[in-house]
Amino acid sequence: MSEIQTRFNPCYSYFATFFFILSPFLFTLSTTTNIQLGSSLSASNLNQTWSSPNNTFSLRFISINSSSFSLSINYDSISIWSISNTVDSRATFTLLSNGNLQLLSGAGTVLWQSNTSNSGVSHATLDDSGNFSLKNRSNFVIWSTFDHPTDTIVPSQNFTVGMVLSSGLYSFFLKKTGNLTLQWNNDIVYWGLGLNDSVSSNISNPRLGLQSIGILSLYDDKLTTSVTLAYGSDYAESGDILRFLRLENDGNLRIYSSTKGSGNILVRWTAVSDQCQVFGYCGIMGICSYNDVGPVCGCPSENFNLVDPNDFRKGCKLKREVKDCPGSAAMLQMDNTKFLTYAPETTNDVYYVGISACRGNCLSGSSCVASTILADGSGQCYIKTSNFVSGYKSAALPSTSYVKVCNPIVPNPPPLTEEGGKRKKLEGWVVAMVVLGTLVGLIIIEGIVWWCCCRKSPKFGGLSAQYALLEYASGAPVQFSYKELQEATRNFKEKLGEGGFGAVYKGILANKTVAAVKQLEGIEQGERQFRMEVATISSTHHLNLVRLIGFCSEGKHRLLVYEFMKNGSLDSFLFSTDVQSEKILSWEQRFNIALGIARGITYLHEECRDCIVHCDLKPENILLDDSYNAKVSDFGLAKLINPKDHRHRTLTSVRGTRGYLAPEWIANLPITSKSDVFSFGMVLLEIVSGKRNFEVSNRTNGKRYSIWAYEEFENGNAKNILDSRLVDYDVDMDQAMRAIQVGFWCIQKTTSLRPMMGKVVQMLEGIIEIEKPPMPNIASEGSISGTSLNTSGPGPSSSSSLQATPLTQPSINMERPTFSHIQRDSTSFSTTE
């Protein structure tokens, strides 16, 4: 769930809330035209309507085709409320004399009714807000379309708990906690938008409303101001514009806008940015992917037929059911494909096994129809036992899926061409000759152009290396053009942060994936080495590491594309000073974050083919996903720095991240994985305390927090070390004591006393007993090449650096250790096991 903060402008917000609450009464007082009992509409007369006083809205029958009609309330040609039944030309819609509203088919069958017989209804109205109401003689509303929405909400309409927007198998709800939810088949929850704890705890009677200026807001009697959930991209723009929120039959919730008389309907906000993540979008056994236009649906292989050849979204069915081929079943493998798994499926049929077991267990299981193994380091295997399976295929997905079919397996064919009106495969040698001839021709033309025009121009000198690297290995990250990333980031408009390697921008890729695009600066490596380092980083997959999606390398432009983390970096939670909007992590969340960081670093140190030393582990480089899982960022980037530029960055980097440097950096000693262990210990103590390690105050008697904390631990006052903001949370003191002791072991000055990261994980998990740590001797960091380190001041602010900066000293020969090939420190760590 995304955390939504209250966006607060006192004058505007109070006015908006006041207007929203009063708006139904204002519209009730406006001029209306009464529709008398006995009035009716007929599908045979499309000119017959019930209209609002200003003729903005009308209730009438509209033609679907020559023989089918439907009844709806319309704004221009836009339906804002409708009855799903289609009817013939003899159908009627009548307000009966007993006050009941009925839709009758031509044969006289009741297709829909308001169930308001004998309720005192005297007339009906359609007001200028689009609300159709049945009222008594005192103008009290007995029934209204605003209280019984179908698939759309308009301004002035309250959407409350218990109401439902429906479209096919999809539905949209508002929960009592104020959270918004999209469901498939009233079972699978595939999207949610939630409030933070400080807001949701005050909710008693939430109401969702779309303001006329295009802002989706939540209202409640206990809130002093509304909570903004989403902005339409054209919010607050003037004009005669109708904005509305609609649940479409593709399962997505969107805000639209339309200018009166234009006939144009424009999307202004979308709930699920990646359409392929909508469960069931391509139907049963359907696989969703993207082409140049948008999402497309297909079948896993030619072992399947489309359920409906005229509608690819209805899914696929096996040509031969598995039950009809006992003993002859096989597993169809689909690379870069996953089967969507949402609650409640996430609580069942999840195993931690390897790829062979994930495939084999499904093949041997009688109830299993498909499985997915994740290649993100989590080791998770999802076994699908439901007959309804929804798939997603993308080159960026690190997963492999299997579907149980009858032998023989028939993969989907390559693209076909048309000849003489018949589908015909081209001969392989013809294709090869055409491709080869085209490539040779292009190379010759390019060579001539370069020789004549560009060979002496320094502007184009760097391009030759790029085109020479045709041997770029398969399986590497996705390569983007600079233009593609410019478009994805809207010309680098929304900056997320800036650090030693350059700025990071938010972008939306062509497949609608939200990403973080890092624009590297000072990278002057050769093309070949840059791509090799990028390939190394991208091949490093783990649940607690930020995933590299792709890169761009065009001349001087070097960019990296990472997965996007909505909750930002850990420092913004630990060291926030804004009490009004303070984000507090519970102890359970903090401990899970610490354990996640430890596992991620363990993977880099001990489980990769080559040991990768991070060199700049700090809270700013720990990102949190939607579920507050820790993701270590910027690992492996130290090798991308140009040695010349590296010396310049060293001085500023050391001053910017003091408090996390291992003593060996200062003493110009060999840098090993134990340097990261020291940094992790510092981060661990900050997670426990919520304070910077080098922070001094009256509470610490003028001592740095880490030194004061050890003295409190020595005196048996470990509770004093805990973040004071945790007073209202349950704290597992056994876990807290383990974390504190592990932190002190990690920050020992002597590297041999520091544990390996794999041992750190075991200590945090309580698998091995922890001895009492000695006093860490970190009181003095000295100076670096004449540049003194001021250790008495506070540590780096959360805004100082969002990117990793390699912490090396000017006197260290950077060509001596290459960070992805540093030898692992095998020094043992003494504990009682």
Side-chain angles (χ1 to χ4, degrees):
M1 294 289 181
S2 300
E3 181 176 303
I4 304 297
Q5 299 295 330
T6 303
R7 299 180 175 97
F8 183 57
N9 181 320
C11 295
Y12 172 76
S13 297
Y14 282 120
F15 174 77
T17 305
F18 180 74
F19 179 80
F20 185 85
I21 294 173
L22 288 184
S23 57
F25 302 100
L26 295 176
F27 281 111
T28 301
L29 294 174
S30 64
T31 304
T32 58
T33 302
N34 292 347
I35 301 164
Q36 302 301 323
L37 298 179
S39 301
S40 66
L41 299 172
S42 173
S44 62
N45 185 0
L46 299 182
N47 294 324
Q48 193 176 23
T49 65
W50 294 341
S51 300
S52 61
N54 63 4
N55 292 317
T56 299
F57 297 93
S58 63
L59 175 59
R60 57 190 172 92
F61 283 98
I62 59 173
S63 175
I64 299 175
N65 54 48
S66 59
S67 59
S68 298
F69 303 85
S70 67
L71 183 81
S72 65
I73 297 175
N74 298 281
Y75 169 87
D76 286 352
S77 59
I78 304 168
S79 173
I80 65 165
W81 182 89
S82 63
I83 297 175
S84 60
N85 303 74
T86 57
V87 296
D88 58 30
S89 61
R90 295 181 298 155
T92 57
F93 186 66
T94 305
L95 178 58
L96 301 176
S97 58
N98 62 7
N100 197 25
L101 197 61
Q102 284 187 345
L103 175 66
L104 299 177
S105 69
T109 304
V110 177
L111 302 176
W112 178 92
Q113 60 182 339
S114 61
N115 295 316
T116 52
S117 300
N118 304 315
S119 298
V121 174
S122 64
H123 63 282
T125 62
L126 177 61
D127 62 33
D128 289 338
S129 68
N131 188 20
F132 179 77
S133 306
L134 302 181
K135 300 178 179 179
N136 62 16
R137 295 186 184 279
S138 300
N139 271 337
F140 180 81
V141 176
I142 307 297
W143 180 95
S144 73
T145 55
F146 274 14
D147 291 332
H148 298 82
T150 52
D151 61 359
T152 304
I153 301 172
V154 295
S156 305
Q157 181 173 358
N158 273 328
F159 186 77
T160 60
V161 176
M163 293 184 180
V164 181
L165 297 187
S166 299
S167 185
L169 291 173
Y170 298 103
S171 53
F172 170 67
F173 303 89
L174 172 64
K175 294 185 176 181
K176 290 182 179 180
T177 58
N179 291 358
L180 312 184
T181 301
L182 286 173
Q183 285 187 350
W184 173 86
N185 202 28
N186 295 321
D187 180 33
I188 303 295
V189 177
Y190 59 90
W191 178 84
L193 188 64
L195 303 172
N196 61 38
D197 294 338
S198 62
V199 176
S200 62
S201 62
N202 293 323
I203 295 292
S204 62
N205 182 31
R207 303 179 300 280
L208 183 68
L210 178 66
Q211 298 181 36
S212 60
I213 61 173
I215 298 177
L216 187 64
S217 302
L218 192 76
Y219 302 83
D220 190 88
D221 298 335
K222 289 188 176 182
L223 296 178
T224 57
T225 182
S226 62
V227 178
T228 298
L229 300 179
Y231 290 93
S233 59
D234 68 338
Y235 78 95
E237 289 190 12
S238 60
D240 194 357
I241 302 174
L242 174 69
R243 296 177 173 91
F244 57 96
L245 180 74
R246 173 173 292 168
L247 175 63
E248 297 287 5
N249 62 6
D250 63 3
N252 223 326
L253 186 72
R254 298 181 178 91
I255 294 177
Y256 295 92
S257 67
S258 177
T259 303
K260 187 174 183 180
S262 68
N264 293 327
I265 303 176
L266 302 174
V267 178
R268 299 304 187 181
W269 173 79
T270 304
V272 186
S273 59
D274 187 345
Q275 183 61 47
C276 282
Q277 296 281 14
V278 173
F279 191 88
Y281 173 72
C282 287
I284 182 171
M285 280 294 177
I287 307 297
C288 181
S289 60
Y290 287 90
N291 60 16
D292 293 339
V293 178
V296 293
C297 296
C299 293
S301 74
E302 286 205 336
N303 295 81
F304 294 80
N305 282 330
L306 290 169
V307 172
D308 183 352
N310 297 318
D311 188 352
F312 283 33
R313 284 196 53 209
K314 289 189 177 178
C316 308
K317 59 183 178 181
L318 282 167
K319 293 179 179 178
R320 186 184 179 193
E321 295 292 338
V322 175
K323 64 182 180 180
D324 297 332
C325 60
S328 183
M331 298 303 290
L332 166 69
Q333 179 174 325
M334 295 181 292
D335 297 326
N336 304 112
T337 303
K338 71 176 181 180
F339 291 117
L340 301 182
T341 303
Y342 298 108
E345 288 186 318
T346 51
T347 58
N348 302 305
D349 299 326
V350 181
Y351 302 91
Y352 291 85
V353 296
I355 188 168
S356 298
C358 189
R359 173 185 174 277
N361 290 350
C362 184
L363 180 61
S364 60
S366 58
S367 61
C368 180
V369 296
S371 63
T372 292
I373 181 72
L374 303 182
D376 58 0
S378 66
Q380 291 180 331
C381 167
Y382 292 93
I383 300 295
K384 312 295 286 189
T385 56
S386 168
N387 286 328
F388 197 100
V389 175
S390 178
Y392 180 12
K393 180 178 179 64
S394 170
L397 291 176
S399 55
T400 303
S401 293
Y402 300 92
V403 178
K404 191 184 295 184
V405 299
C406 289
N407 267 321
I409 293 175
V410 186
N412 285 324
L416 303 177
T417 186
E418 300 286 337
E419 182 177 318
K422 297 181 180 180
R423 294 164 66 90
K424 181 180 178 181
K425 289 186 179 180
L426 286 175
E427 295 291 342
W429 68 270
V430 175
V431 176
M433 291 299 293
V434 171
V435 172
L436 183 60
T438 303
L439 285 175
V440 171
L442 289 174
I443 291 172
I444 292 173
I445 293 172
E446 187 177 82
I448 293 173
V449 172
W450 180 84
W451 181 263
C452 295
C453 305
C454 306
R455 66 186 179 92
K456 295 183 180 180
S457 173
K459 181 179 179 181
F460 297 97
L463 295 177
S464 58
Q466 177 174 342
Y467 295 109
L469 291 173
L470 297 178
E471 74 278 8
Y472 179 46
S474 62
V478 178
Q479 181 173 359
F480 298 94
S481 68
Y482 185 69
K483 182 178 180 182
E484 286 176 322
L485 296 184
Q486 271 187 314
E487 294 174 353
T489 58
R490 293 183 297 168
N491 201 24
F492 305 100
K493 181 178 181 181
E494 185 176 350
K495 182 184 286 189
L496 300 176
E498 188 166 4
F501 283 97
V504 181
Y505 300 88
K506 183 177 180 180
I508 300 178
L509 305 181
N511 66 352
K512 308 304 181 184
T513 299
V514 182
V517 180
K518 176 174 293 186
Q519 208 170 30
L520 298 175
E521 297 175 357
I523 307 299
E524 299 180 7
Q525 282 185 325
E527 180 76 11
R528 184 189 187 94
Q529 188 175 357
F530 175 78
R531 289 173 179 255
M532 289 175 62
E533 296 303 332
V534 168
T536 299
I537 296 172
S538 70
S539 65
T540 306
H541 298 294
H542 190 272
L543 183 65
N544 299 112
L545 299 178
V546 176
R547 182 167 58 89
L548 179 68
I549 297 174
F551 73 102
C552 170
S553 180
E554 290 185 7
K556 65 179 181 179
H557 299 297
R558 304 286 179 86
L559 302 96
L560 299 178
V561 182
Y562 289 96
E563 62 177 325
F564 178 74
M565 297 288 115
K566 291 184 179 178
N567 278 325
S569 56
L570 177 60
D571 63 299
S572 65
F573 289 86
L574 295 181
F575 313 124
S576 175
T577 57
D578 187 353
V579 178
Q580 297 299 323
S581 63
E582 189 174 25
K583 299 178 286 187
I584 303 175
L585 294 171
S586 67
W587 171 253
E588 181 181 7
Q589 288 173 319
R590 294 180 190 226
F591 188 76
N592 288 336
I593 288 169
L595 201 53
I597 300 169
R599 287 170 177 162
I601 299 300
T602 299
Y603 178 81
L604 293 176
H605 288 183
E606 304 173 19
E607 298 171 16
C608 287
R609 182 181 62 183
D610 298 308
C611 177
I612 298 177
V613 179
H614 191 290
C615 296
D616 193 18
L617 193 61
K618 57 185 178 181
E620 288 81 356
N621 286 336
I622 308 300
L623 305 182
L624 304 180
D625 67 9
D626 295 354
S627 301
Y628 295 93
N629 295 313
K631 303 263 190 177
V632 179
S633 71
D634 287 0
F635 56 90
L637 294 189
K639 288 191 69 179
L640 294 178
I641 275 290
N642 177 35
K644 295 179 182 178
D645 193 54
H646 197 282
R647 293 176 180 268
H648 169 72
R649 291 176 186 271
T650 296
L651 296 177
T652 56
S653 299
V654 170
R655 287 197 299 269
T657 53
R658 65 184 185 275
Y660 306 98
L661 284 172
E664 52 265 32
W665 286 107
I666 314 303
N668 197 20
L669 296 174
I671 304 303
T672 69
S673 59
K674 291 293 186 72
S675 304
D676 280 351
V677 175
F678 183 93
S679 301
F680 172 78
M682 287 297 189
V683 172
L684 182 57
L685 291 177
E686 291 183 340
I687 291 173
V688 173
S689 66
K691 302 290 184 182
R692 292 282 188 187
N693 282 304
F694 277 72
E695 181 176 313
V696 294
S697 64
N698 292 333
R699 181 190 178 195
T700 63
N701 300 321
K703 300 176 182 178
R704 284 174 297 174
Y705 202 91
S706 54
I707 302 300
W708 174 85
Y710 186 85
E711 293 177 353
E712 292 296 303
F713 165 75
E714 186 85 72
N715 296 328
N717 301 324
K719 283 189 176 181
N720 291 346
I721 304 174
L722 293 177
D723 192 335
S724 59
R725 294 172 295 178
L726 293 174
V727 66
D728 296 327
Y729 293 84
D730 292 331
V731 177
D732 186 329
M733 285 307 298
D734 288 338
Q735 287 182 349
M737 283 298 296
R738 289 204 302 271
I740 291 170
Q741 292 183 83
V742 170
F744 289 137
W745 273 116
C746 290
I747 63 174
Q748 295 297 315
K749 180 177 181 180
T750 305
T751 58
S752 61
L753 292 179
R754 299 177 209 156
M756 298 290 288
M757 283 306 302
K759 191 77 72 174
V760 167
V761 172
Q762 293 178 319
M763 293 163 72
L764 288 173
E765 291 177 337
I767 296 175
I768 59 176
E769 189 175 337
I770 309 173
E771 296 178 357
K772 181 182 177 181
M775 173 71 175
N777 184 16
I778 56 172
S780 175
E781 283 190 346
S783 62
I784 301 176
S785 297
T787 304
S788 299
L789 294 178
N790 179 9
T791 59
S792 62
S797 68
S798 61
S799 60
S800 63
S801 174
L802 295 178
Q803 312 305 319
T805 306
L807 303 179
T808 53
Q809 312 316 319
S811 57
I812 295 177
N813 179 6
M814 289 308 299
E815 297 179 358
R816 171 173 51 84
T818 55
F819 293 129
S820 63
H821 298 86
I822 293 177
Q823 296 295 318
R824 294 190 177 93
D825 190 333
S826 59
T827 306
S828 62
F829 175 68
S830 174
T831 59
T832 303
E833 303 197 21

